[in-house]
Amino acid sequence: MAPQDHGEDIEALLHELRRFAPPTDFSAHANVDASIYLEADRDPEAFWATQARQLSWETPFTTTLSWEPPQATWFGDGRLNASVNCLDRHLEAGLGSRVAYHWVGEPEGDRQSITYAQLHAMVCQAANALTALGVVAGDRVAIYMPMVPEAVVAMLACARIGAPHSVVFGGFSADALADRILDAGAEVVITADGGYRRGVASGLKVQVDEALERCPGVRSVLVVRRTGQAITMAEGRDHFWHELVETQPATHVPQAFGAEHPLYVMYTSGTTAKPKGILHTTAGYLTHVATTHRLVFDLKAETDVVWTAADIGWVTGHSYIVYGPLCNGATSVLYEGVPDAGGKDRWWRIVEEYGVTILYTAPTTIRTLMKWGEEYPMAHDRSSLRLLGSVGEPINPEAWMWYRRVVGENRCPIVDTWWQTETGGIMITPLPGVTTTKPGAAMRAFPGISVDVVDHEGRSVPNGEGGFLVVTKPWPGMTRGIWGDPERFVDTYWREFEGRYFAGDGAKRDDEGDLWLLGRVDDVMNVSGHRLSTAEVEHALVAHPAVAEAAVVGASDPTTGQAIVAFVTIRLDHENSDGLVEELRAHVGQVIGPIAKPRSILITPELPKTRSGKIMRRLLRDVAEHRTLGDTTTLVDPAVVQMIDDMMRASSDDE
Ligand code: WTA
């Protein structure tokens, strides 16, 4: 049955059951109880130090935090190796035969279960291969891969030799890849010939080849054979993984690095066209992701099968597919494809077959699954599931309720987790077995994390009012900076409210003090859980020869959360041909990647501007969302926006 058929039921349910007390049988066995908040509040630094001691250190730390805003040093004098924490120590503890990943390729039957011992051997080989290519500690390595085991191996091999990795989402274009390689100064790229997506073998190596025309600094490329498609290999520069890596010795003596040694750089969109390289370092980050993975997901590593259904090209994959689960010795599912590859029940077949216990995904996916109908999950055994998580965007109560009722059979607690690329790990979340949850609310800061909701002046707002979300104390997983741009780091996060981290999100505390996230307050859009800036898409549009000016807004969308809507004016010397809109969409896909293609593009004779020449995006958003236009008095010519509004309505009537 389609979800809309349940519209009224859900409303009724929401009225009746606004709160979900933790199930008692869950609480009885949960990893934590409410006292953890008190303990962490009393001394947050001591709380984090206790957590950090669960890592394996070559040299234990003696100092916990030094804080010179905005620069934090956590566990500064300790030394450790990230890959040892993910692998070697589990082997030493006798867990080598535990499965680290059940890998499921998109084509049916393409699968592999990899134990910790096997993963360790693969990582040692890859570390040896990177060393053979001359990579040393501190060098950056770009990774542009499909969701295959080698992607994880590549990350851990970099970590093992102290070379920060920069994973670029496989859906980005050659141009976007080149920008990131150049910004990070990477000299080595690890990729694959391609990957499978929606049943088609996509080309990755071909994108790398194009990107590298602009990146003369790249001297070596490692290529995993995934699809067998025809590719060209540049003599001396390109090496096949099976030739260079799989012939290396499967042992490698790791070296320890300082706690603040860079672990990775992850590019994310900010409010300008240029993406920011978010830097994470070793010990604080590992402490944060391991702790949150253990407590937020109530992890029982011996028995759980965790499935974080995200791409390793985003931070959710880094923290909760790779580093968090591996630090905790957990077993994960790694799935290559889209949710409906091989049928709309693909996900549920995976859940049933592998006995997935913890499922973590984004609201946009939940809404898509909901749209397909509940017969797909219902047709499969979901009794293994015991906890559900959500991340990436605000979850609407309807999706929350569906997730709980249909996927979780009304028995699995739901954790709605708020965090960002910059925060490294989960910051605001219920604790399962402890927190009484409310559909749509992320509830409360994780133990040891302090947040506030403030007004423009930085004053705490009372319960019931909205404001800006800030983090008021340093935390271990916090980003240590923007790669190569310390000024932008200060300006973006620390200038607005002195000494506090400005997240860029709106939030509200309800009458009981519980937190609800309200979406971005800046020009960052959230499309299907992917962060994109309006400026980035505008930049791509004006790079097209036909475009004079462009304004882009994120309009709310029932499935993708937000959708990209663009308004463009065209150059006088260009004609508005029939195919132009499609051409522009394709062009944006080419410049950034398919995820950035606007849902709609409206070609207009003019854009609404203020007397000082600024484009009024606020009004364009009203237009895009079919709302009554807001205040137009500051415009040079209010008739312009009225005309655009009429055009928009006419064009959506056509649809
Ligand atoms: C949004 C993803 C509401 C938010 C881990 C944030 C959320 C941005 C939630 C970060 C949530 C993430 N509720 N909004 N539970 N989780 N967001 O860097 O706007 O890709 O600033 O990190 O996603 O996106 P990013």
Side-chain angles (χ1 to χ4, degrees):
M1 214 179 289
Q4 48 269 39
D5 298 338
H6 285 284
E8 280 173 21
D9 291 5
I10 286 176
E11 273 311 308
L13 263 177
L14 276 176
H15 273 289
E16 261 173 57
L17 306 166
R18 295 285 303 184
R19 291 165 176 71
F20 294 93
T24 40
D25 50 341
F26 194 101
S27 305
H29 303 283
N31 286 353
V32 285
D33 59 41
S35 67
I36 192 169
Y37 286 108
L38 293 174
E39 180 204 330
D41 269 358
R42 215 173 294 131
D43 190 346
E45 284 180 40
F47 168 79
W48 287 118
T50 305
Q51 303 303 327
R53 284 192 198 99
Q54 301 200 26
L55 295 175
S56 158
W57 297 82
E58 194 191 81
T59 312
F61 60 94
T62 63
T63 57
T64 299
L65 170 69
S66 98
W67 176 226
E68 285 168 37
Q71 222 51 62
T73 305
W74 282 90
F75 321 117
D77 59 349
R79 295 181 71 78
L80 75 176
N81 181 293
S83 92
V84 167
N85 273 281
C86 291
L87 301 167
D88 305 56
R89 68 163 160 155
H90 303 315
L91 270 50
E92 280 160 28
L95 303 176
S97 59
R98 182 180 291 173
V99 171
Y101 293 103
H102 292 295
W103 176 69
V104 183
E106 202 192 74
E108 301 279 350
D110 213 354
R111 61 186 62 197
Q112 192 185 0
S113 291
I114 300 168
T115 65
Y116 273 89
Q118 289 167 330
L119 189 63
H120 176 262
M122 291 162 86
V123 169
C124 288
Q125 288 184 319
N128 288 324
L130 289 174
T131 304
L133 289 174
V135 180
V136 297
D139 290 353
R140 276 81 60 211
V141 175
I143 299 176
Y144 183 64
M145 298 272 268
M147 288 278 286
V148 292
E150 288 85 351
V152 178
V153 173
M155 289 167 71
L156 294 174
C158 289
R160 195 166 185 91
I161 61 170
H165 53 74
S166 179
V167 181
V168 179
F169 174 56
F172 275 123
S173 67
D175 261 354
L177 172 64
D179 290 344
R180 285 156 180 77
I181 291 173
L182 288 170
D183 191 81
E187 294 181 10
V188 172
V189 178
I190 306 178
T191 188
D193 50 3
Y196 290 100
R197 221 173 155 69
R198 298 186 197 286
V200 183
S202 66
L204 289 172
K205 175 62 164 61
V206 56
Q207 303 281 346
V208 172
D209 291 340
E210 192 185 326
L212 294 194
E213 286 170 21
R214 275 174 52 205
C215 306
V218 173
R219 47 189 171 75
S220 309
V221 180
L222 261 177
V223 187
V224 173
R225 263 286 183 217
R226 166 75 186 110
T227 66
Q229 63 189 277
I231 51 172
T232 43
M233 297 288 281
E235 180 78 41
R237 186 195 72 183
D238 301 350
H239 310 270
F240 277 116
W241 179 279
H242 59 267
E243 287 171 6
L244 191 75
V245 176
E246 288 170 10
T247 51
Q248 296 288 330
T251 55
H252 176 270
V253 180
Q255 181 194 340
F257 298 98
E260 288 292 345
H261 188 80
L263 181 61
Y264 69 82
V265 178
M266 166 104 253
Y267 284 85
T268 186
S269 294
T271 54
T272 67
K274 189 177 181 313
K276 309 176 276 200
I278 300 299
L279 171 67
H280 284 290
T281 59
T282 308
Y285 173 79
L286 292 183
T287 301
H288 189 161
V289 298
T291 307
T292 47
H293 188 252
R294 200 172 59 247
L295 302 184
V296 175
F297 300 108
D298 187 53
L299 180 75
K300 311 282 197 278
E302 318 75 57
T303 47
D304 274 321
V305 177
V306 278
W307 184 11
T308 294
D311 195 284
I312 54 145
W314 305 108
V315 75
T316 304
H318 280 47
S319 299
Y320 299 108
I321 296 178
V322 181
Y323 290 109
L326 292 180
C327 272
N328 291 331
T331 298
S332 291
V333 166
L334 184 70
Y335 172 55
E336 180 184 29
V338 295
D340 56 346
K344 290 194 165 54
D345 66 343
R346 185 68 188 270
W347 263 39
W348 314 114
R349 279 194 274 139
I350 295 173
V351 166
E352 180 171 2
E353 190 166 337
Y354 290 97
V356 171
T357 57
I358 300 169
L359 179 64
Y360 189 36
T361 191
T364 188
T365 311
I366 299 166
R367 288 191 294 265
T368 301
L369 296 165
M370 193 170 151
K371 207 159 61 181
W372 290 342
E374 63 188 63
E375 63 264 34
Y376 298 104
M378 292 294 192
H380 293 274
D381 183 3
R382 301 174 318 294
S383 59
S384 60
L385 288 171
R386 61 181 201 92
L387 181 80
L388 305 173
S390 171
V391 59
E393 39 173 335
I395 179 165
N396 48 312
E398 293 75 13
W400 197 103
M401 291 299 299
W402 189 86
Y403 202 26
R404 185 176 195 283
R405 181 178 61 83
V406 178
V407 180
E409 302 175 326
N410 279 325
R411 50 174 185 82
C412 304
I414 294 186
V415 290
D416 172 12
T417 63
W418 177 90
W419 58 294
Q420 307 177 300
T421 306
E422 294 87 338
T423 70
I426 294 168
M427 301 292 278
I428 302 176
T429 178
L431 283 185
V434 176
T435 314
T436 293
T437 50
K438 302 175 184 175
M443 301 304 291
R444 186 163 181 185
F446 184 78
I449 305 283
S450 299
V451 303
D452 198 359
V453 181
V454 300
D455 64 15
H456 275 288
E457 271 80 52
R459 288 177 305 230
S460 231
V461 301
N463 285 355
E465 281 180 30
F468 303 104
L469 180 70
V470 293
V471 188
T472 56
K473 289 198 180 108
W475 67 100
M478 67 197 287
T479 172
R480 302 300 197 265
I482 296 178
W483 189 260
D485 203 344
E487 228 165 279
R488 188 173 179 196
F489 177 58
V490 175
D491 287 347
T492 312
Y493 308 109
W494 303 97
R495 183 91 61 213
E496 199 73 31
F497 304 110
E498 191 74 40
R500 288 172 288 179
Y501 171 84
F502 174 55
D505 277 57
K508 180 184 97 177
R509 264 184 300 237
D510 65 19
D511 292 339
E512 293 169 317
D514 294 320
L515 285 160
W516 297 71
L517 277 306
L518 305 174
R520 302 288 307 190
V521 295
D522 52 14
D523 292 327
V524 173
M525 298 178 286
N526 193 324
V527 183
S528 300
H530 301 320
R531 259 168 86 169
L532 287 163
S533 83
T534 54
E536 211 171 349
V537 181
E538 287 168 3
H539 198 74
L541 282 167
V542 295
H544 188 279
V547 175
E549 275 188 309
V552 166
V553 298
S556 56
D557 181 282
T559 306
T560 59
Q562 283 190 311
I564 305 173
V565 177
F567 300 85
V568 302
T569 61
I570 55 176
R571 287 176 186 274
L572 291 176
D573 54 356
H574 266 84
E575 267 182 47
N576 181 3
S577 63
D578 279 352
L580 185 58
V581 164
E582 248 336 287
E583 189 180 324
L584 293 178
R585 291 185 74 239
H587 169 78
V588 175
Q590 181 74 33
V591 176
I592 305 175
I595 50 167
K597 280 187 187 172
R599 180 184 71 187
S600 62
I601 298 179
L602 193 71
I603 295 177
T604 80
E606 266 181 274
L607 292 176
K609 290 196 182 146
T610 61
R611 289 183 191 93
S612 58
K614 273 215 198 110
I615 297 172
M616 285 282 274
R617 284 199 186 70
R618 176 174 58 77
L619 288 171
L620 290 174
R621 219 170 137 175
D622 291 343
V623 171
E625 294 182 343
H626 306 293
R627 265 198 310 259
T628 315
L629 294 177
D631 183 9
T632 58
T633 49
T634 53
L635 293 179
V636 182
D637 182 1
V640 169
V641 71
Q642 194 54 60
M643 170 196 67
I644 297 176
D645 198 32
D646 293 345
M647 288 173 72
M648 190 73 172
R649 281 173 203 277
S651 75
S652 39
D653 288 347
D654 296 345
E655 275 165 16

